[in-house]
């Protein structure tokens, strides 16, 4: 259970830092989207974006949406860990949250990466695919992580059904 408590503490730290970041983003992004960056570039995954036209503003907005989806998936994971701490492992909410977490991680990764792909293609006249192996910000790893959570959801669904059948047998 120490590992579970450590996980909960780390998720709480990430959540608090995310909320602080979101407050800063909530203040700055509308300013940038309305007024433009006036020479102050925004860097997203190593790509500098000058917010001086509608397309660049859309890139920033979609990337922000992807980030918000990821932060929401961390919020749901915190809720799952709380269920685990209460020893309520096969709760229907846990199964639903695992599936939703997987979908949110995949959606977040797709939105962020496709947005930057189109930005590079349209604004920088550079079309290419970057595969970041060995990085925690890898597109492939994010998709795998999302699929893993969806598989865990199915495993928990099967385990819950087997547990209920076992309880009926006794």
């Amino acid at each position: 259970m120490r590992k579970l408590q450590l996980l909960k503490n780390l998720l709480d730290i990430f959540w608090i830092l995310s909320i602080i970041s979101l407050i800063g983003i909530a203040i700055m992004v509308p300013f940038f989207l309305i007024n433009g960056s006036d020479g102050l570039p925004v860097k997203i995954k190593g790509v500098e974006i000058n917010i001086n036209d509608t397309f660049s503003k859309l890139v920033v907005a979609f990337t922000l949406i992807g980030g918000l989806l990821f932060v929401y998936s961390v919020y749901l994971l915190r809720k799952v860990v709380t269920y685990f701490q209460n020893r309520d492992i096969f709760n229907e909410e846990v199964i639903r949250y695992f599936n939703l977490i997987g979908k949110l991680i995949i959606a977040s990764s797709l939105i962020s990466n496709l947005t930057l792909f189109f930005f590079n293609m349209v604004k920088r006249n550079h079309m290419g695919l970057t595969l970041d192996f060995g990085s925690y910000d890898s597109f492939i790893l994010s998709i795998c992580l999302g699929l893993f959570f969806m598989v865990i959801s199915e495993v928990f669904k099967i385990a819950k059904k087997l547990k209920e059948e076992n309880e009926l047998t006794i």
Side-chain angles (χ1 to χ4, degrees), residues 25 28-30 32-33 42-44 49-67 111 115-116 119:
I25 289 171
M28 296 302 291
V29 166
F32 278 120
L33 292 179
V42 175
K43 215 175 219 188
I44 300 173
I49 300 174
N50 284 318
I51 308 172
N52 51 10
D53 62 346
T54 304
F55 184 72
S56 299
K57 291 176 182 181
L58 285 173
V59 168
V60 171
F62 276 110
T63 303
L64 179 62
I65 290 169
I111 289 170
T115 301
L116 285 178
F119 177 79

Side-chain angles (χ1 to χ4, degrees), residues 97-117:
Y97 287 159
F98 272 140
N99 191 30
L100 185 56
I101 289 168
K103 290 177 181 176
L104 288 171
I105 290 173
I106 290 172
S108 171
S109 183
L110 284 173
I111 289 170
S112 299
N113 286 295
L114 288 176
T115 301
L116 285 178
F117 175 78

Side-chain angles (χ1 to χ4, degrees), residues 7-29:
L7 176 62
K8 176 74 166 129
N9 290 341
L10 290 173
L11 287 172
D12 287 343
I13 290 169
F14 180 82
W15 177 249
I16 291 168
L17 293 175
S18 295
I19 294 300
I20 293 169
S21 297
L22 287 175
I23 291 169
I25 289 171
I27 293 169
M28 296 302 291
V29 166

Side-chain angles (χ1 to χ4, degrees), residues 134-149:
S135 170
Y136 292 108
D137 195 22
S138 169
F139 175 67
I140 294 174
L141 182 62
S142 297
I143 299 297
C144 290
L145 189 61
L147 290 172
F148 176 75
F149 276 107

Side-chain angles (χ1 to χ4, degrees), residues 74-167:
V74 171
Y75 170 75
L76 293 176
L77 186 57
R78 287 178 65 235
K79 290 177 85 167
V80 168
V81 170
T82 302
Y83 277 109
F84 287 175
Q85 285 178 324
N86 295 334
R87 299 185 190 273
D88 191 8
I89 296 172
F90 296 112
N91 189 314
E92 192 65 37
E93 292 293 308
V94 170
I95 296 167
R96 193 170 61 81
Y97 287 159
F98 272 140
N99 191 30
L100 185 56
I101 289 168
K103 290 177 181 176
L104 288 171
I105 290 173
I106 290 172
S108 171
S109 183
L110 284 173
I111 289 170
S112 299
N113 286 295
L114 288 176
T115 301
L116 285 178
F117 175 78
F118 286 122
F119 177 79
N120 284 331
M121 189 171 66
V122 172
K123 288 299 234 176
R124 297 175 73 201
N125 295 327
H126 173 70
M127 189 167 140
L129 180 65
T130 303
L131 298 176
D132 299 324
F133 293 108
S135 170
Y136 292 108
D137 195 22
S138 169
F139 175 67
I140 294 174
L141 182 62
S142 297
I143 299 297
C144 290
L145 189 61
L147 290 172
F148 176 75
F149 276 107
M150 293 169 77
V151 168
I152 289 293
S153 171
E154 293 297 320
V155 168
F156 270 61
K157 192 182 297 182
I158 292 168
K160 180 181 180 191
K161 184 178 177 186
L162 290 173
K163 181 182 177 233
E164 288 171 353
E165 288 176 1
N166 189 29
E167 288 173 353

